[in-house]
Amino acid sequence: MNSKKVLVSLFALSFAFVMVACGDSKPKEETPAAVESSASADPDLAKGEELYLQNCSSCHGEKGAGDGAAAAALNPKPRNYKSPASEWKNGNTAAAVTKTLKEGIKGSPMVAYGHLGDDNIRILAKYVEHLSKN
């Protein structure tokens, strides 16, 4: 096998790993500690944390530092939510995060999450905004 075929095969394998690791939309068992760790009584933030842990933490990390298990295989690296708003492709407001979740970011591993539905995307965006500020 020539070196180009090997590189293409490695790239395809890496991409498949990223898609599986970052795009897991299957419900996972809730752990009471994960939901209770939300710093608020806001039910949207509790639900947002649950959605985030199921769909985003493998790339962005549990606290949004861009250090999830799949982050090492990604280029560009996942967003660190503590980065200044000016470094975010669409901004760090709930509306901007909603746009990113609905459309993804072309040319990056950030895929669209439209399959979650508008209400879950709104809740997830609110939680990501919360992480960026806390």
Side-chain angles (χ1 to χ4, degrees):
M1 191 181 274
N2 70 32
S3 62
K4 282 186 180 182
K5 286 183 180 181
V6 170
L7 286 174
V8 170
S9 296
L10 287 174
F11 177 79
L13 182 62
S14 296
F15 183 76
F17 170 77
V18 167
M19 297 312 296
V20 169
C22 291
D24 185 4
S25 62
K26 295 177 189 169
K28 296 181 182 175
E29 287 185 29
E30 278 186 44
T31 58
V35 174
E36 290 173 6
S37 69
S38 184
S40 139
D42 185 336
D44 278 355
L45 288 181
K47 176 69 174 175
E49 181 178 34
E50 177 186 334
L51 288 165
Y52 178 84
L53 291 172
Q54 291 174 358
N55 295 284
C56 311
S57 64
S58 61
C59 294
H60 292 280
E62 286 188 26
K63 302 294 182 190
D67 60 352
L74 300 176
N75 186 19
K77 297 298 180 206
R79 166 67 48 227
N80 176 343
Y81 298 146
K82 300 297 184 189
S83 298
S86 62
E87 293 181 13
W88 292 51
K89 177 74 174 178
N90 294 316
N92 67 350
T93 65
V97 175
T98 296
K99 175 180 171 62
T100 299
L101 289 169
K102 285 185 173 188
E103 298 175 5
I105 297 177
K106 291 183 183 187
S108 84
M110 180 62 201
V111 297
Y113 282 84
H115 64 279
L116 294 178
D118 288 344
D119 195 45
N120 283 337
I121 287 175
R122 177 191 60 79
I123 291 167
L124 183 53
K126 182 176 179 179
Y127 184 72
V128 169
E129 181 183 37
H130 169 79
L131 281 178
S132 76
K133 295 177 180 175
N134 295 292

